[in-house]
Amino acid sequence: MPSTRNLIATSILALGMSAAPIAAQPYDSNPFGLVYEGAITKNIQGKVNIHPVQYELHGLKIAANVYTPANYSPKEQYPAIVIAHPNGGVKEQVAGLYAQRLAELGFIAIAADASFQGASSGEPRHQDIPYFRTEDIHGMADYISAYPGVDRQRLGALGICGGGGYTLNAAKSDKRFKAVATVSMFNTGQVRRNGYMAKEEPADIQERLQKACEARENGLKTDKTPLTGNVDFDALRDEDIAKISTDLYREGMLYYGKTHRHPNSTFAYTASSQMELICWDAMDHLNLINAPLLLIAGSEADSLYMSEEALEKAVGTNNKELFLVPGATHIQLYYVPEYVDQVISKLADFYRKNLN
């Protein structure tokens, strides 16, 4: 019989995507649960190492991975980057990939699971609330600033997809970040309010807010928290994926459901989270960001409009740039080697210049 890997490659070819970059590994074949191509399998002296850690944030236990550069010494001083994962993602996926690649270039990097998500604690599970997602980024900065060898004056931030929107929000107030970057930035509040690629507020917004309030009340009464957005990845069929009209969601189903699947990663979030998400927007008060800002997006990403809007509204810094990766879509910046290499090269130049 054909291998699972070959079946996935065949499915992706059928959906019009290249099978060449499919090199992820099952989470249970990696001792650290990492699922991205080229992931660390063991710590070797003199090479990039990974350090699973836990720390407390607002009474919750946050699970994170710290990546240290080759020949790391706690007696030296290193620049550090905090990395916020996408909506539905976990630290073992694209956030871990970028953390490892940055560590290979001499940075200490940390990727943490969001509160109430992944391996981090918090009940009810799967809350997706902007306040906590933003605090998660502040919390990573707290922890890594005290890590042996970190030069707290050379601290940068990187947010991917939804983590990019939350990173922009954190950077408005957190002046510890001397350089701020996003990859495939996604404005979660705007999309929960208006829908993806929609420009105007829909007519049913009050009804959706009412349902979110009812979900919160039901959770209090029954101790069972309703979820929305849940996807049964085991039942995910290629023909159903192919019918999804937007690149982000179609390719996202492949990435999260097939090629880079992790059991802690889910599209589900509490229905009551909509109460906060609908009323939030990553673009609010972007003028408060005064640090150097780099927005990276694929030239073919249907989410590109979000990075373009952020660039326009970030009037508080003169050091800002929108860098387009030619030919890439939103999700392809998560794993396709030729695109990831371009992103890493740009990030390295950006952080070295602004964290010198």
Side-chain angles (χ1 to χ4, degrees):
M1 294 182 64
S3 68
T4 301
R5 184 186 181 91
N6 287 337
L7 287 172
I8 291 173
T10 302
S11 300
I12 290 175
L13 278 172
L15 295 176
M17 294 177 63
S18 170
I22 305 306
Q25 55 187 317
Y27 80 97
D28 54 2
S29 71
N30 182 287
F32 305 106
L34 308 174
V35 298
Y36 54 85
E37 178 183 2
I40 295 171
T41 57
K42 62 179 178 179
N43 286 331
I44 300 173
Q45 187 174 2
K47 295 184 178 294
V48 170
N49 282 186
I50 183 173
H51 311 274
V53 299
Q54 273 197 348
Y55 54 89
E56 189 167 306
L57 179 66
H58 301 304
L60 303 179
K61 292 293 185 182
I62 303 300
N65 288 326
V66 175
Y67 293 75
T68 51
N71 299 309
Y72 160 77
S73 170
K75 296 181 180 179
E76 297 185 19
Q77 291 283 286
Y78 301 86
I81 313 295
V82 306
I83 302 176
H85 64 68
N87 294 339
V90 289
K91 63 185 181 300
E92 290 85 1
Q93 296 167 324
V94 58
L97 169 62
Y98 276 93
Q100 182 173 325
R101 292 293 301 272
L102 287 168
E104 290 169 359
L105 296 174
F107 299 90
I108 292 177
I110 180 172
D113 285 336
S115 301
F116 308 98
Q117 301 175 26
S120 293
S121 71
E123 296 289 342
R125 301 301 297 163
H126 310 306
Q127 291 189 74
D128 188 17
I129 296 177
Y131 170 79
F132 290 111
R133 286 297 309 261
T134 302
E135 274 297 296
D136 289 329
I137 296 165
H138 296 317
M140 280 192 285
D142 295 341
Y143 181 83
I144 207 65
S145 292
Y147 198 84
V150 167
D151 182 350
R152 64 182 62 199
Q153 299 304 316
R154 293 191 289 163
L155 183 62
L158 172 62
I160 305 165
C161 187
Y166 293 125
T167 293
L168 293 180
N169 196 51
K172 296 168 190 175
S173 62
D174 202 329
K175 302 308 173 182
R176 292 175 295 182
F177 296 130
K178 302 301 189 289
V180 179
T182 65
V183 173
S184 296
M185 195 278 291
F186 185 88
N187 185 354
T188 307
Q190 184 186 81
V191 173
R192 297 290 182 261
R193 182 169 55 254
N194 298 348
Y196 187 49
M197 302 181 71
K199 301 296 182 182
E200 298 181 1
E201 189 174 282
D204 68 342
I205 193 165
Q206 296 298 338
E207 179 183 349
R208 289 192 289 120
L209 280 167
Q210 180 63 39
K211 288 182 178 178
C213 292
E214 292 171 359
R216 182 180 178 118
E217 288 183 348
N218 289 337
L220 293 172
K221 293 176 182 177
T222 66
D223 201 30
K224 294 182 179 180
T225 306
L227 298 177
T228 187
N230 198 24
V231 174
D232 183 355
F233 289 135
D234 290 326
L236 200 58
R237 301 185 306 169
D238 294 333
E239 54 265 37
D240 295 328
I241 296 174
K243 294 176 183 177
I244 301 174
S245 61
T246 57
D247 290 343
L248 169 56
Y249 292 129
R250 183 175 63 255
E251 295 177 7
M253 287 293 179
L254 285 167
Y255 180 88
Y256 288 107
K258 292 182 180 289
T259 65
H260 294 73
R261 189 169 172 180
H262 192 283
N264 289 345
S265 175
T266 175
F267 292 154
Y269 60 96
T270 58
S272 59
S273 295
Q274 290 271 33
M275 290 176 62
E276 307 297 330
L277 289 168
I278 287 175
C279 302
W280 181 81
D281 199 304
M283 304 299 172
D284 290 343
H285 308 298
L286 272 186
N287 61 295
L288 294 176
I289 296 178
N290 61 349
L293 176 64
L294 173 63
L295 302 151
I296 300 177
S299 68
E300 304 306 308
D302 45 26
S303 61
L304 174 57
Y305 70 97
M306 300 184 192
S307 293
E308 292 174 334
E309 183 181 359
L311 182 75
E312 179 183 353
K313 291 188 174 180
V315 297
T317 177
N318 293 321
N319 186 348
K320 61 180 180 177
E321 179 184 358
L322 173 59
F323 177 76
L324 299 182
V325 180
T329 61
H330 181 111
I331 295 292
Q332 287 173 340
L333 296 188
Y334 290 18
Y335 74 101
V336 178
E338 64 178 286
Y339 298 143
V340 172
D341 288 347
Q342 292 178 62
V343 175
I344 289 295
S345 177
K346 185 65 178 180
L347 287 172
D349 290 343
F350 173 72
Y351 287 130
R352 284 168 177 162
K353 178 180 178 182
N354 294 293
L355 299 179
N356 58 18

